[in-house]
Amino acid sequence: MKLQDNLALLPTAAVAVVLEFGALASYASFHEANGFLRLRGDLFLLAAQGYVIVACILVYFWGVYWTEPFGDIFEGIAAFGRGNFAHRIRRSKVRELDELAGHLNQMSDRLREVDQLKSDLISNVSHELRSPLAAMEGYIALLLRQAPDPSQTRENLLKIGGNITRLRRLVENLLDLSKIESQGTSLHLERVKALDIVHETCFLFETALKNKNLSLTIDCPEGIPDTKADPAKLRQIMTNLLDNAIKYNRLSGFVKISAFSGRAEPRIVTLSIQDSGCGILPEHMPHLFERFRRLPGSANAPEVKGTGLGLAISLELARSMGGDIQVESRPENGSVFSLILPAWEGD
Amino acid sequence: MVRILIIEDEEDFRDILRQTLEPAGYRLLFAESGPKGLESLSKNQADLVVLDVNLPGKNGYEVCRAIRANPEWSNLPVLMLTIRNRDAEIVRGLDAGADDYLTKPFDPEEILARLRKLLVHEK
C-alpha cells in the first residue's frame, strides 16, 4: 500500500465524516426542540461520534482491501509491458481479482514461451543458414579464379557473391542479436584503453577509407581515463559505427573520432564519431535504433546496403556494458554518434 | 610432396579445399571428425593440419590440444578454420595451440599464402 493510495482515501473519509455530522446535527436539533430529551441527545451525539470514527476506519480498510490488489495488477501489467515475463502478480483475497491475476500470469507465461520460441527459431535457422552460405561464397571464389577478367561472367559472379555475402552478414547479425537476448551475453568487463580499440578498428577500415578518399583524424587529449568495457563488444560497436560513418559518407569527406571525459561523477568516457555524410532527417531519428530499420538512402549514399541491425546491436551491446549511444545529426551536415562508456574506477 | 591433413566435417568445405589446394601441388588427406583426424595423423605422416572448429566427436580445440600434447607433433603447423572472425573463437584456437587461423568463407589466394608461410616457418 503506497502513501498516495492512503491519501486518495482521505477525501472519501472526509465526505463520510461531513455526511455523518450533517445527519447528527439535524437529529440533535430535533431533540433539542423537544426539550426534555436533551440529555439523551447528548448521549446520542457521543455515540454518533464513535460511530463516525468506526465508519472512517472501516472505509479506510475497505479501500485498502480493494485498491491493493489493483495496485499489484497494474504493477504486473507494467512489468509485462516492459518485457519482464518472469514477474508474477500476487494472488488476491477478492475472488474476481484473484482470477484476473491468475489469467494475467498465465498470459505472461505464454508470452514468455512464445518469446523463447522466437529466439530459438532465429538462432537455429541462422546457424543452419550460415554454413551453406559460407560454402556458396567459397565456390564463387573458386569460380572467380577461372573467370577471365574482364568478362560478363566475372561480373555476374561478383554480383552473386555480393548478394551471398550480404545474406551471410544478415544471418550473423541475427545470431548476435539472439545471443544478446538469450543470455544477456557473457560480459567480460575489464580495464580497456578505448583508444587502443579505436586504432585497431580503424586499421581494419584502411582500404574502405582509401576507396572513398576519406580523411581520418583521431583526436584524443591527454588524461582520458581508461574505460570499463568488454574489449570484444567494444570492438564490435566501433566496427559498426565506423562502418556506417564510411558507408554513408560522401566521396573525399572526413571521419573524425574524438575522445573526451567530463569531470562529473561517476566518470564517463565519450567516444564520438563524426562523419561528413548525408545526415539523418529528424523524422527518421526516433527509428534509428530499431531492428531491420534501414533509412532511405540519400543522394550521397543511394547504394548503401546493410542489414538494418548494426545500430540495434551496437546499442544493446553498449547498454549491456552500462553505456549508451547518442546521436546528433542534421540533414546534409553529417552525423555524430557518441558512444558513452563508464570509466574504470580504482587502480 | 607436402602432405596436408584436412579435418573438416562439411563435405562442401572439403571439396572447396581440395579444389584450392590440389592444383597448388599439395597432397591432401581428409578426415571427417576429430577422432578420425587424430587417427589419420598417427597413421600417415602429415606436414600440416587444416582444422575446423565445429567437429563431431572432438571439437577443433580439443583436437589441437591433443596434437600439441604429443611430443612428436609439437611443431606440426596447425591452421584453424573458424566460421567467422569472432574474437573469442580465435583466441581460444590460438590458446589451444593453433599457429594461425582463417575464417570461413576464405579467399583461395589467402589460404594458399598462409599455408606457404606456415610451411616455410616449419623448415
Side-chain angles (χ1 to χ4, degrees), chain A residues 2-304:
Chain A
K2 282 179 250 155
L3 182 66
Q4 68 245 43
D5 298 330
N6 286 323
L7 291 177
L9 287 176
L10 276 180
T12 326
V15 168
V17 170
V18 168
L19 285 177
E20 290 302 330
F21 271 110
L24 212 59
S26 58
Y27 201 75
S29 59
F30 166 75
H31 283 286
E32 204 162 344
N34 287 299
F36 79 106
L37 283 171
R38 202 177 186 155
L39 186 68
R40 284 193 63 186
D42 283 349
L43 277 176
F44 177 78
L45 200 67
L46 214 62
Q49 273 173 342
Y51 167 67
V52 167
I53 290 165
V54 169
C56 286
I57 292 168
L58 281 178
V59 164
Y60 174 81
F61 281 107
W62 182 76
V64 170
Y65 182 74
W66 277 99
T67 51
E68 204 165 38
F70 274 117
D72 286 345
I73 288 172
F74 286 137
E75 215 172 280
I77 291 174
F80 300 156
R82 285 191 301 271
N84 174 13
F85 301 128
H87 182 93
R88 279 289 150 277
I89 301 174
R90 244 186 315 157
R91 306 306 290 251
S92 157
K93 276 172 267 172
V94 187
R95 193 170 60 85
E96 285 83 355
L97 292 179
D98 184 56
E99 266 177 40
L100 181 61
H103 289 316
L104 284 170
N105 283 340
Q106 214 178 351
M107 185 186 79
S108 129
D109 280 340
R110 182 84 190 111
L111 276 173
R112 181 160 55 165
E113 240 170 72
V114 172
D115 196 54
Q116 186 59 44
L117 271 176
K118 178 213 68 181
S119 295
D120 290 350
L121 180 78
I122 291 178
S123 166
N124 291 339
V125 169
S126 311
H127 263 297
E128 293 305 312
L129 283 173
R130 205 161 51 153
S131 256
L133 286 170
M136 278 156 84
E137 271 180 274
Y139 281 116
I140 297 273
L142 285 173
L143 283 171
L144 275 170
R145 296 175 93 200
Q146 296 152 9
D149 188 15
S151 71
Q152 187 66 53
T153 312
R154 192 179 173 80
E155 252 173 56
N156 292 347
L157 281 172
L158 281 171
K159 280 178 192 160
I160 297 173
N163 279 300
I164 295 171
T165 308
R166 212 176 127 200
L167 264 180
R168 179 173 53 84
R169 293 226 173 100
L170 174 70
V171 162
E172 284 168 355
N173 283 345
L174 278 173
L175 269 176
D176 281 343
L177 259 190
S178 67
K179 261 198 183 159
I180 292 174
E181 279 182 348
S182 63
Q183 12 140 346
T185 53
S186 42
L187 270 185
H188 304 285
L189 293 177
E190 51 187 83
R191 186 177 188 164
V192 180
K193 279 201 193 312
L195 203 69
D196 289 351
I197 305 274
V198 169
H199 281 295
E200 270 175 47
T201 321
C202 291
F203 178 71
L204 294 175
F205 284 96
E206 258 178 9
T207 332
L209 286 162
K210 215 179 284 170
N211 285 346
K212 267 192 141 170
N213 193 26
L214 297 169
S215 72
L216 172 72
T217 45
I218 300 174
D219 176 28
C220 177
E222 289 288 313
I224 295 286
D226 294 341
T227 59
K228 187 179 168 192
D230 182 323
K233 310 268 184 301
L234 182 53
R235 211 168 284 135
Q236 203 178 343
I237 298 173
M238 284 306 298
T239 308
N240 280 335
L241 293 182
L242 207 55
D243 189 42
N244 278 346
I246 294 170
K247 267 196 312 199
Y248 292 96
N249 221 318
R250 62 181 155 85
L251 285 178
S252 310
F254 66 86
V255 176
K256 189 179 169 192
I257 303 176
S258 20
F260 44 93
S261 173
R263 289 267 139 229
E265 299 281 341
R267 294 201 71 181
I268 52 167
V269 176
T270 307
L271 289 172
S272 79
I273 295 139
Q274 186 185 0
D275 64 59
S276 56
C278 49
I280 302 152
L281 293 172
E283 61 261 39
H284 292 148
M285 281 291 216
H287 308 294
L288 204 56
F289 290 97
E290 283 175 19
R291 292 170 189 188
F292 298 107
R293 183 69 71 152
R294 298 206 42 253
L295 304 183
S298 82
N300 288 328
E303 82 295 357
V304 172

Side-chain angles (χ1 to χ4, degrees), chain B residues 103-116:
Chain B
T103 56
K104 291 187 206 171
F106 43 81
D107 181 64
E109 306 306 332
E110 192 177 358
I111 192 167
L112 289 171
R114 294 213 187 208
L115 291 180
R116 277 197 299 273

Side-chain angles (χ1 to χ4, degrees), chain A residues 280-339:
Chain A
I280 302 152
L281 293 172
E283 61 261 39
H284 292 148
M285 281 291 216
H287 308 294
L288 204 56
F289 290 97
E290 283 175 19
R291 292 170 189 188
F292 298 107
R293 183 69 71 152
R294 298 206 42 253
L295 304 183
S298 82
N300 288 328
E303 82 295 357
V304 172
K305 284 177 180 171
T307 58
L309 282 169
L311 281 178
I313 290 173
S314 300
L315 183 65
E316 295 215 25
L317 287 175
R319 290 197 172 150
S320 74
M321 297 192 282
D324 199 10
I325 297 179
Q326 291 170 0
V327 198
E328 283 168 64
S329 180
R330 267 175 306 162
E332 303 310 321
N333 244 328
S335 316
V336 185
F337 282 81
S338 300
L339 169 63

Side-chain angles (χ1 to χ4, degrees), chain B:
Chain B
M1 195 181 235
V2 179
R3 288 149 71 99
I4 298 178
L5 170 64
I6 291 164
I7 311 179
E8 163 68 80
D9 62 323
E10 280 179 69
E11 208 196 327
D12 281 333
F13 279 100
R14 288 203 301 271
D15 185 28
I16 290 168
L17 285 166
R18 181 188 295 117
Q19 291 191 45
T20 312
L21 303 187
E22 266 179 4
Y26 296 112
R27 200 153 156 242
L28 304 182
L29 301 159
F30 290 97
E32 298 93 46
S33 73
K36 275 186 192 163
L38 289 171
E39 196 191 313
S40 162
L41 199 57
S42 49
K43 266 194 222 149
N44 313 289
Q45 206 56 46
D47 303 298
L48 188 147
V49 177
V50 174
L51 180 60
D52 184 32
V53 169
N54 295 313
L55 286 170
K58 263 186 177 152
N59 70 34
Y61 309 121
E62 290 168 316
V63 174
C64 195
R65 272 191 289 271
I67 291 175
R68 288 292 173 249
N70 187 328
E72 215 180 310
W73 301 328
S74 57
N75 288 324
L76 184 69
V78 174
L79 174 77
M80 277 253 185
L81 288 181
T82 70
I83 193 81
R84 183 201 166 175
N85 53 339
R86 285 187 193 283
D87 295 326
E89 273 180 27
I90 292 164
V91 172
R92 264 185 88 184
L94 295 176
D95 279 349
D99 297 286
D100 202 356
Y101 70 90
L102 209 52
T103 56
K104 291 187 206 171
F106 43 81
D107 181 64
E109 306 306 332
E110 192 177 358
I111 192 167
L112 289 171
R114 294 213 187 208
L115 291 180
R116 277 197 299 273
K117 202 179 111 205
L118 284 175
L119 289 164
V120 167
H121 273 287
E122 192 212 8
K123 280 164 197 164

